[in-house]
Amino acid sequence: MAVTGADTGNRPRVVVTRRIFPDLAQQLRRDYEVLDNQDDANWTTEELLARLSAADALLTDPVRQIDAQVLARCPRLCVISNIAVGFNNIDVAACTRAGIVATNTPDVLTEATADHAWALLLAAARRVVEADRWTRAGRWERFAYDAFLGADVCGATLGILGMGRIGQAIARRAQGFSMRVIYHNRHALPAQAVPGAAPEQARWVERPQLLRDADFLVLLVPYSAATHHLIGTAELAQMKPGSVLINIARGGIVDDAALAQALRAGCPAAAGLDVMENEPHIHPALLALDNVVLTPHIGSATATARRAMVRLAIENLADVLQGRRPRALVNGEVWASRRCAAPAAG
Ligand code: GLV
């Protein structure tokens, strides 16, 4: 396939898989030959490869799968800069074997993502979206004491599965709601690692206890083969009656078909999902339910956070191409043996 849009100079060639902010795209063009996707088309793998096979760098979104077969056809590729904190879309081991550096965008999206987790939590708890739909449908005829009864947030128990940076930011906000925070990680964190939370306010528990005791369960584990369907029928059955499940991490951690069935049966009572299996193709059973709030993978979507992510991704990419160790290196083990140890330009 013929690909147009790049200069013919010898500057490093960069492929961008999704539309990015025009001023940042322009900045990129000043330094590189850029094959970008300002039309935001859904490139097939072959369409991506038509651009990537002669490229030095890739600036990619977290939904685009970059696997060993793709990498094998990109002999010049030095760096894959993911515009996301999660990098399950990239076969990092294959990158390392090929000497390709992988980077991500941690930190800059932490607070925005924690805010969105809370938006979902409150919306699901207090049935905001369902009530909005009902009101707009012209069905509000009188005040009713039993209308849209939701779950109490203040004073409830917040459970966090995967207490990393975003989990800690969510836990910090819980103090304002006088919540008890419990969490499960592979290892308990030192008390001071949960900012502002005294040990009794953020307590490590085993996973079954987390499922059993949380009124609100927020999922923040990275997606991998080990976390695929980590929350399925058996786990949902252990959740408390009246509880609410929030997935702000990745689709596939929850078995969406099992969740739809559990929500239909009323336990958990509600869910808030920013990520789903096979997104953007949502399981139809979820779409049919009123007790689930759905958002289209917008956890970090504030202008500040999303621009900071793109900026950091560009910075990571530039660092690698210029021979500097990037700020957010995913596969540090590749650094000494990376494919492009010398600056790629010239
Ligand atoms: C978004 O999903 C991210 O991982 O940053």
Side-chain angles (χ1 to χ4, degrees), residues 143-155:
F143 176 86
Y145 279 101
D146 58 355
F148 293 102
L149 300 179
D152 287 304
V153 177
C154 190

Side-chain angles (χ1 to χ4, degrees), residues 70-158:
V70 168
L71 297 177
R73 292 171 62 187
C74 302
R76 287 178 57 103
L77 198 60
C78 300
V79 52
I80 299 176
S81 178
N82 218 32
I83 315 175
V85 64
F87 47 83
N88 58 290
N89 57 310
I90 300 171
D91 185 336
V92 176
C95 284
T96 301
R97 283 195 301 275
I100 297 168
V101 176
T103 66
N104 69 338
T105 61
D107 302 321
V108 294
L109 46 55
T110 299
E111 302 302 335
T113 308
D115 286 347
H116 193 67
W118 271 94
L120 287 174
L121 187 156
L122 289 167
R126 297 303 303 272
R127 304 172 63 179
V128 172
V129 177
E130 183 189 355
D132 175 273
R133 274 196 297 261
W134 184 87
T135 308
R136 284 170 197 275
R139 298 170 66 185
W140 189 21
E141 287 171 3
R142 65 186 67 83
F143 176 86
Y145 279 101
D146 58 355
F148 293 102
L149 300 179
D152 287 304
V153 177
C154 190
T157 297
L158 175 65

